[in-house]
Amino acid sequence: MLGINKEIKQMENMSTESIETKKAEDQKIAAPKIEIEAENLNFFYGEKQALYSINLKVPEKSITAFIGPSGCGKSTFLRSINRMNDIIAGVRVEGKILLNNQNIYAPSIDVVDLRRRVGMVFQKSTPFPKSIFDNVAYGIKINRLSNSRKQLEQMVEQALKQAALWNEVKDRLNESALALSGGQQQRLCIARTLAVMPEVILMDEPCSALDPIATEKIEELVVELREKYTVIIVTHNMQQASRVSDYTAFFLLGQLIEFDETEKIFTYPKEKKTEDYITGRFG
Amino acid sequence: MRKLINKLIFTICSLSTALVLAVLALILIYILANGVLAINLDFFTKLPKPVGEDGGGMVNGIVGSAIMVGLAALVSIPISIGAAIYLAEFGKGYLAVIVRFLVDVLAGVPSIVIGIFVYTIVVLPMKRFSAIAGALSLAIIMIPTIVRATEEALRLVPQTLREAALALGAPYWRVVLEIVVVSANKAIVSGVLLSVARVTGETAPLLFTALGNRFLVTVLDRPMASLPVQIYSYAVSPYDDWHRQAWAATFALVMFILLINLVVRFFIRTKE
């Protein structure tokens, strides 16, 4: 066990180092700033260990995909980043996750504020039983991000525009959000998350409940988000991961097997297990 | 042979259904027949006439019931919803199991026992019957129904909805009050309305707490009339006119309960 971890760590360090060397050699771009870093993260559901010694550095303003077969721990790890797992009874975390060099598991951290800074979009779209406008405005009001009605309206409009939903709903902002289609609801959830101006956006299989056309729209949206936000997307769909992401992390049975630029993972993976998964030999 | 057994079972079930419906239909028809002729505008507007005289109405009973049921609702709704929120959101340990059990026990306590209980703790110290005591006994009867209905409704709200709200940086209490409870709105209101409909017809507890009053009063620390108690006292009296009025009151009460049930059904149907 320890031996494997050491090897993974070495490979890990090698791959991040190689990214950094490559970019430093370019001399045009500096080494990417790391937004999220997991240090020796171990995660337990009661007695059962779900994550084994995860070490990962996610660069800022990029899209990282987490791939792996069912039950490999990618969703668990994703939910650890905004501490959503805290609401489950009996979970235990060892190790650190650093957000901009701040350990989010330190006792002094305000979890509520953390969750504003690290937003999450879920597999099944969950519009609140309110109007479209109120859905997007909810987060803004809760976090007291706006000072006037006019500012609130502007922020809502901006969020809906960023989520590519504005044109479809601008004439019916006061209608119930539950009347929207599945794809529209998911974009509404994204708008809701964007409205609170997070630094990181976590997406847990956001397209798995959607038809291909809605999926395409969401993927286009995600690619645009890269400019301002650090995005991590968990996906079962490997083609989606290769289409959309800059970096990919492959998980298996609670361990991080490989993390590298997406192009490298999908063309010259270093680990055999990665290659097996990508070519469909299991999963 | 199998076909025969199938038909037999089917026939037995159909007959049982017919029997149940027949019983309900008979009750309703009987009340309708006796009550619709007896009810008139006087019923809703006039006070009871002196004993022996014909005529008069039951406006004191109607107003009294309205006041006591309204007061009971005011007291029981916040308490019940609060308890239900505790059970649904935070109730995972031993305490929750015990609370749930006790609520179920309370649901099964006969209403007359609740009346006697309130008699002991309110009427005796106050040294008089009062509308407050009546309202309190009705509130206690309402509590288990509302708690159960609300807890069920809150449990049905999907966990992902709570997580979505938490993920925006909302503190848990806001998630519960502004998202979860609002989500379960329709079911909660239905539970409350049905509880009101039930408790409007409760007679036994009011006998020991509010007693009854031949006059229209609105003060809360004196005996107050209520429709079911007046039905009782008129029905066992020797006067024919009072019997007629009791039928009218019965008819009005049943129509009210029927109306509330219809409103609840309609309300649920318009749910998205």
Side-chain angles (χ1 to χ4, degrees):
Chain A
M1 208 50 172
L2 279 168
I4 303 177
N5 281 343
K6 242 175 142 189
E7 271 181 39
I8 294 177
K9 234 183 163 172
Q10 280 174 353
M11 308 234 68
E12 232 296 288
N13 287 334
M14 266 172 54
S15 45
T16 37
E17 266 172 282
S18 60
I19 299 172
E20 285 172 9
T21 359
K22 176 182 174 237
K23 297 221 162 134
E25 277 171 3
D26 279 349
Q27 281 183 351
K28 285 178 190 169
I29 323 158
K33 179 165 168 281
I34 299 298
E35 176 81 14
I36 296 175
E37 181 176 349
E39 251 181 54
N40 270 322
L41 188 76
N42 287 286
F43 189 92
F44 302 83
Y45 287 112
E47 287 307 313
K48 183 170 176 306
Q49 185 161 6
L51 292 175
Y52 297 86
S53 223
I54 306 283
N55 284 286
L56 182 63
K57 291 189 182 148
V58 176
E60 69 163 3
K61 298 211 177 37
S62 64
I63 304 179
T64 303
F66 286 178
I67 61 173
S70 296
C72 64
K74 51 190 196 293
S75 283
T76 306
F77 182 49
L78 190 80
R79 289 163 60 102
S80 306
I81 302 178
N82 71 345
R83 293 185 64 169
M84 194 53 78
N85 285 323
D86 285 7
I87 62 178
I88 304 174
V91 301
R92 188 160 52 95
V93 170
E94 284 168 17
K96 295 185 191 170
I97 296 183
L98 304 174
L99 176 67
N100 261 318
N101 288 317
Q102 237 188 340
N103 182 13
I104 65 173
Y105 280 97
S108 56
I109 282 282
D110 177 10
V111 178
V112 170
D113 186 56
L114 170 71
R115 294 201 184 119
R116 180 196 66 78
R117 291 164 62 197
V118 180
M120 187 176 247
V121 176
F122 299 83
Q123 189 170 350
K124 191 170 176 307
S125 60
T126 50
F128 299 144
K130 295 171 191 276
S131 69
I132 294 173
F133 183 87
D134 285 336
N135 259 274
V136 183
Y138 186 70
I140 303 176
K141 283 189 197 158
I142 295 267
N143 289 296
R144 295 201 209 111
L145 295 175
S146 108
N147 294 318
S148 69
R149 175 78 193 179
K150 200 154 191 308
Q151 194 185 10
L152 179 67
E153 287 175 9
Q154 279 174 351
M155 289 174 83
V156 168
E157 183 180 330
Q158 228 206 350
L160 286 169
K161 279 184 176 160
Q162 278 189 60
L165 191 59
W166 176 251
N167 285 323
E168 291 169 53
V169 298
K170 64 182 179 214
D171 297 323
R172 42 180 179 137
L173 290 175
N174 287 320
E175 278 179 27
S176 169
L178 300 168
L180 295 173
S181 76
Q184 288 172 322
Q185 284 183 1
Q186 192 65 305
R187 276 179 281 155
L188 179 68
C189 292
I190 296 177
R192 215 168 51 186
T193 309
L194 294 174
V196 297
M197 298 185 294
E199 296 158 33
V200 178
I201 301 179
L202 307 175
M203 297 186 157
D204 195 347
E205 300 192 45
C207 301
S208 57
L210 302 175
D211 61 78
I213 298 179
T215 302
E216 198 185 321
K217 286 202 179 131
I218 302 245
E219 284 182 13
E220 279 171 14
L221 170 57
V222 170
V223 169
E224 278 171 23
L225 292 176
R226 182 204 283 126
E227 318 256 326
K228 286 191 189 168
Y229 310 95
T230 306
V231 179
I232 303 181
I233 175 167
V234 163
T235 179
H236 255 126
N237 183 339
M238 278 185 290
Q239 287 75 26
Q240 182 176 77
S242 60
R243 279 196 293 267
V244 157
S245 63
D246 305 314
Y247 303 96
T248 301
F250 170 58
F251 290 84
L252 181 63
L253 296 176
Q255 293 179 327
L256 173 64
I257 306 291
E258 192 171 343
F259 173 73
D260 209 333
E261 286 178 18
T262 300
E263 214 183 305
K264 292 221 182 86
I265 292 262
F266 282 94
T267 39
Y268 313 104
K270 293 199 182 83
E271 296 282 330
K272 175 132 199 340
K273 286 188 200 149
T274 316
E275 198 183 327
D276 286 347
Y277 180 71
I278 288 171
T279 53
R281 247 171 242 152
F282 69 90
Chain B
M1 185 58 198
R2 235 180 356 219
K3 266 193 175 176
L4 204 61
I5 295 182
N6 265 338
K7 265 213 145 163
L8 186 66
I9 305 275
F10 181 70
T11 314
I12 293 177
C13 288
S14 310
L15 283 176
S16 309
T17 313
L19 193 63
V20 170
L21 287 177
V23 169
L24 182 63
L26 279 174
I27 294 176
L28 283 179
I29 291 173
Y30 202 51
I31 293 176
L32 211 79
N34 279 297
V36 77
L37 295 169
I39 206 155
N40 50 25
L41 199 59
D42 277 359
F43 173 79
F44 291 102
T45 50
K46 294 239 171 78
L47 285 172
K49 282 254 162 78
V51 173
E53 281 187 35
D54 279 1
M58 286 205 194
V59 69
N60 55 339
I62 295 173
V63 169
S65 272
I67 291 180
M68 282 193 283
V69 170
L71 204 58
L74 216 66
V75 167
S76 66
I77 291 175
I79 296 179
S80 309
I81 295 187
I85 290 178
Y86 169 77
L87 285 175
E89 299 292 327
F90 307 102
K92 276 146 189 118
Y94 253 123
L95 186 62
V97 171
I98 294 175
V99 171
R100 229 170 260 136
F101 174 67
L102 290 177
V103 167
D104 283 341
V105 167
L106 187 62
V109 172
S111 56
I112 195 166
V113 172
I114 295 181
I116 295 177
F117 167 70
V118 176
Y119 175 81
T120 316
I121 63 166
V122 177
V123 176
L124 284 183
M126 274 178 78
K127 293 195 173 47
R128 61 165 68 94
F129 294 97
S130 63
I132 291 188
L136 183 62
S137 60
L138 293 183
I140 296 177
I141 297 174
M142 283 173 84
I143 286 178
T145 322
I146 302 181
V147 170
R148 272 188 188 156
T150 307
E151 194 200 338
E152 272 303 310
L154 291 175
R155 277 180 181 282
L156 285 175
V157 173
Q159 184 68 354
T160 44
L161 197 65
R162 290 182 186 87
E163 291 182 357
L166 285 171
L168 291 173
Y172 197 35
W173 68 268
R174 287 193 94 141
V175 174
V176 168
L177 289 182
E178 293 175 356
I179 304 286
V180 178
V181 170
V182 171
S183 234
N185 239 352
K186 303 227 166 176
I188 296 178
V189 171
S190 307
V192 167
L193 283 179
L194 288 173
S195 172
V196 163
R198 181 203 154 176
V199 102
T200 309
E202 287 285 349
T203 322
L206 294 177
L207 289 172
F208 291 99
T209 49
L211 192 65
N213 198 324
R214 297 192 59 74
F215 301 102
L216 178 62
V217 290
T218 47
V219 287
L220 296 176
D221 62 342
R222 299 291 152 154
M224 187 177 274
S226 59
L227 215 48
V229 170
Q230 245 172 331
I231 294 176
Y232 167 68
S233 56
Y234 275 38
V236 298
S237 75
Y239 309 109
D240 278 342
D241 192 55
W242 280 20
H243 295 169
R244 177 192 65 82
Q245 290 192 34
W247 275 120
T250 309
F251 178 72
L253 197 58
V254 168
M255 284 299 117
F256 174 68
I257 293 176
L258 204 64
L259 185 71
I260 290 201
N261 272 288
L262 284 173
V263 166
V264 169
R265 295 249 157 235
F266 177 71
F267 196 46
I268 292 183
R269 203 153 288 159
T270 58
K271 189 181 186 148
E272 275 146 317

